[in-house]
Amino acid sequence: MELTSSFLHHHSPASSSSSFYSSSTFPLQINPKNLSFHPRIIRVVCVAVDPKELPSNSPQRLLKELAERKRYTAPKKPVPPKRYILKPPLDDAKLAQRFLNSPQLSLKSFPLLSSCLPCSRLNNADKTWIDEYLLEAKQALGYPLEPSESFGDENPAKQFDTLLYLAFQHPTCERTNAKHVRCGHSRLSFLGEYVLELGLCEFFLQRYPRESPGPMRERVYALIGKRYLPEWIKAARLQNLVFPFDEMDKMRRSDREPPVKSVFWALFGAIYLCFGMPEVYRVLFEVFGMDPEAEECQPRLRRQLEDVDFVSVEFEQRKLSWQEVATYKPPEDALFAHPRLFRACVPPGMHRFRGNIWDFESRPLVMRTLGYPLPKEDRIPAITQARNIELGLGLQLAFLHPSKFKFEHPRFCFERLEYVGQKIQDLVMAERLLMKHLDAPGKWLTERHRRVVMNKFCGRYLRDKYLHKYIIYSEQVEDAYEHNRRLRNPATTAVQQAIHGLSYTVYGKPDVRRLMFEVFDFEQTQPKLVTR
């Protein structure tokens, strides 16, 4: 708004300057540059100011401007990937129809095999890969080239083509975007890891009956450690199936090892489900050409204690080959489910401990808590009596801490039983999770498995049954462990695993399931007693 007026200056400059400074508080503002002391027309510019507006230096005004600026200049948030967008749940009818149509519920005779099948039927893209590459994989592994659909319904090998296809679809391949392929492969890989661990554990325990588990773990790592797996894949000429568009030798180690490890584990998971553990040994030592006597597979040198005790006759002065381990079948009237493995873990000299104080005072209480001996219908009553005697000796060995007789008798402790018990409980827990959670991916199952069979929890399950009181320590170690649970708890974990190893060698895998899920309640599903 412009105003035009004429001023007659009858006042002094001082008064004009004072009037200028005093006029700053009024809405009418006069520019001093336009003022002149000569009588002429002066243009005065006036700006209308909102009386409700805050002053320019007011803190409230600054905060208001800052809030306005943030509101209009906030960066755009990235859109989350499609797989993490939550979808509304299916209604009960659609969910039931989806599970009923799933191949995972198609095999009632083989629940574990059925749980590892894909969650939906294979589509045309899957069948294209099968037609193009499956014959090459079968030829490299030494299997007949005919489709596995030709087998009968009661033969688990009928699903081998499907499982073999899933085994090669590692997380970085082009088919991994399909949910049924990605989930099926991860579940097979989850199972195959524990199958390999148990198979090599049994093999080395029988091949080296005097060796402690420490060197055996080094041998296992030298054969199936992830840094050595690309060599075995290349030896079997399977690298083109794992990396169809890349040359494996020129890839970086971080890009090469994870897919190879995933395929290797899934491959043995599929073989175990369809053909059993003997076929796992054949593929390991015949197809991949693993040599347990190779120089790079030998454990590091360490101080060895002199072993003055005997070993079973079948282990004396010879090393068992993988063919003998794979094709071994126990006799009809065998005392145990795995007689040779029991003899490899329990030395013959254990009979010298019969009749000691632990045998009279502690063994009946331990057997009552564990539900032993199990009722078995044997043709000869003497077989039942002999099995119960050997079971009592094995329990005494499972509760015998290495501090007691380790230096005089290196195998008179629970170390070998603990080794096989750790591997069998891992496999049993993996099978349980696979059959219980049909729609869970392998990564979730691995985390769940780790949380259930964690070492500190295994010892807690044993202590909940008050069985830690019966562990046999040396006097010096017992005094050190009495008020130090950080030293004592690992020993209870080892005893827990040794009990599972003894259960597996004497009664087989079903009794390990009974101990884990009925006696010790690994999944913590049974109601707890409330004590006041």
Side-chain angles (χ1 to χ4, degrees), residues 62 67 300 529:
L62 294 176
R300 61 182 177 85
L529 295 177

Side-chain angles (χ1 to χ4, degrees), residues 7-21:
F7 279 83
L8 296 177
H9 302 280
H10 300 285
H11 52 276
S12 61
S15 64
S16 66
S17 62
S18 63
S19 65
F20 167 72
Y21 290 113

Side-chain angles (χ1 to χ4, degrees), residues 322-384:
W322 69 265
Q323 291 92 341
E324 293 176 296
V325 175
T327 59
Y328 175 76
K329 293 183 179 180
E332 184 179 354
D333 293 333
L335 293 179
F336 316 110
H338 302 275
R340 185 187 281 172
L341 188 60
F342 179 87
R343 294 303 177 194
C345 295
V346 181
M350 280 297 296
H351 282 273
R352 73 181 68 180
F353 292 103
R354 289 189 64 192
N356 60 7
I357 297 179
W358 194 94
D359 198 22
F360 280 104
E361 293 184 352
S362 303
R363 182 181 58 82
L365 300 176
V366 171
M367 295 186 73
R368 187 184 312 133
T369 303
L370 299 178
Y372 286 145
L374 298 183
K376 299 281 286 187
E377 296 181 1
D378 296 304
R379 188 171 53 87
I380 304 174
I383 295 178
T384 305

Side-chain angles (χ1 to χ4, degrees), residues 21 31 39 86 110 158 163 191 227 235 246 296 335-336 355 428:
Y21 290 113
N31 193 351
L86 297 179
F110 309 104
K158 183 175 183 179
L163 296 181
L191 176 66
R227 63 181 300 179
D246 299 302
E296 58 271 12
L335 293 179
F336 316 110
V428 167

